[in-house]
Amino acid sequence: MSEDAVVVGATGTLGSALVRRLASRGLRVVAVARSEESLSTMADSIDGEVAPCPADIASNDAIAAIQGALSGQVRIAVLAAGLPVRGSVATIDADLLAVGAQVKMGGIVRLLQAVRPSLGPGSRFVAVAGTLGLEPGRDEAGPGGINAGLINLMKQISQHHGPDGVTVHTVVPGPMDTPRLRTIAGTIAAERGTTVEEVWQEYGAKVSLGRLPRVDEVVWAIENLLAPEADVMHGTVLHLDAGGLRSPH
């Protein structure tokens, strides 16, 4: 029987890198994203088996779409969708908090309901959250509140599925040097009336390693959860912030 991997947010910077890495391991990757065209383009560029699955994880329709794309046991399922929400508590449209929660909090529940019948001993269930969910910042009301909720939900999921041999992992990268983060820096700079360069310097100053984490490093960490020894990491939060998180968690 073939083994599947499921990646939600498959056309994003992190998601596409993860699809490529998992396909290179011989897994059949069900790549989930909203754009059928972007999924098809990505699948054609990868040397491996990728099954495009156009679906919006913010909608319950995604459950049936993902289930219909599966072909065997799910070895690993990852929610790597980004948040379409920006702004501080002073400026954010409050309705957008619900939109973001549908993507990450509702999304993780939908992903679980989609893959649960195909999980078994040794399967990994993974969510990519963010350090703002643990250590709030002044400019990101959405990522702070929503990722905190996602981390809590993952703890609940781990309590449900640990006895089944299905391990549950929350991966918490700090800010990564990606085009998306540079766009966010531009939004913050506009809100403050400052420059993108100043905001970017603030990101770097918060990281004791002296640089932001790279996408390939985060992908490496997620891939290593497939090792049998990663069972012991069940229920934990894996910090990949390059020394950015100050508070003990």
Side-chain angles (χ1 to χ4, degrees):
M1 179 181 294
S2 65
E3 287 189 317
D4 286 344
V6 180
V7 178
V8 177
T11 56
T13 302
L14 176 61
S16 59
L18 184 58
V19 169
R20 192 174 301 275
R21 183 73 68 91
L22 294 174
S24 73
R25 288 182 62 106
L27 292 169
R28 175 182 176 272
V29 184
V30 175
V32 183
R34 288 180 296 176
S35 171
E36 185 172 3
E37 181 179 358
S38 296
L39 283 168
S40 179
T41 299
M42 181 189 65
D44 290 343
S45 72
I46 292 177
D47 184 17
E49 188 174 1
V50 178
C53 178
D56 183 356
I57 199 63
S59 166
N60 286 342
D61 292 342
I63 298 172
I66 294 170
Q67 286 180 334
L70 298 177
S71 67
Q73 179 174 338
V74 171
R75 185 72 178 83
I76 184 170
V78 184
L79 179 73
L83 276 175
V85 179
R86 298 272 76 82
S88 69
V89 292
T91 63
I92 193 170
D93 179 346
D95 288 342
L96 291 180
L97 292 172
V99 174
Q102 282 285 20
V103 173
K104 281 213 165 181
M105 297 175 67
I108 198 63
V109 172
R110 293 182 186 99
L111 178 59
L112 177 64
Q113 291 176 355
V115 302
R116 184 167 50 197
S118 300
L119 298 174
S123 294
R124 310 305 193 201
F125 189 77
V126 183
V128 179
T131 53
L132 289 167
L134 299 168
E135 196 167 81
R138 54 164 279 180
D139 296 305
E140 296 288 353
I146 294 163
N147 278 315
L150 174 60
I151 291 167
N152 184 285
L153 283 174
M154 288 296 284
K155 287 287 188 181
Q156 296 182 48
I157 292 168
S158 71
Q159 293 172 21
H160 275 268
H161 289 284
D164 304 330
V166 176
T167 66
V168 178
H169 311 268
T170 307
V171 177
V172 182
M176 293 180 287
D177 190 349
T178 63
R180 179 170 174 270
L181 183 63
R182 292 188 179 272
T183 299
I184 293 170
T187 301
I188 293 172
E191 182 177 305
R192 291 187 192 173
T194 186
T195 65
V196 175
E197 290 73 18
E198 183 176 325
V199 174
W200 199 253
Q201 287 173 3
E202 289 181 13
Y203 280 125
K206 293 177 181 177
V207 178
S208 62
L209 183 64
R211 65 169 178 83
L212 296 181
R214 300 193 309 267
V215 170
D216 65 294
E217 293 170 325
V218 176
V219 168
W220 167 85
I222 295 173
E223 180 187 15
N224 275 295
L225 294 175
L226 292 169
E229 294 82 0
D231 280 357
V232 75
M233 299 173 71
H234 167 67
T236 61
V237 177
L238 179 59
H239 299 289
L240 304 173
D241 54 33
L245 191 66
R246 301 293 193 266
S247 302
H249 292 281

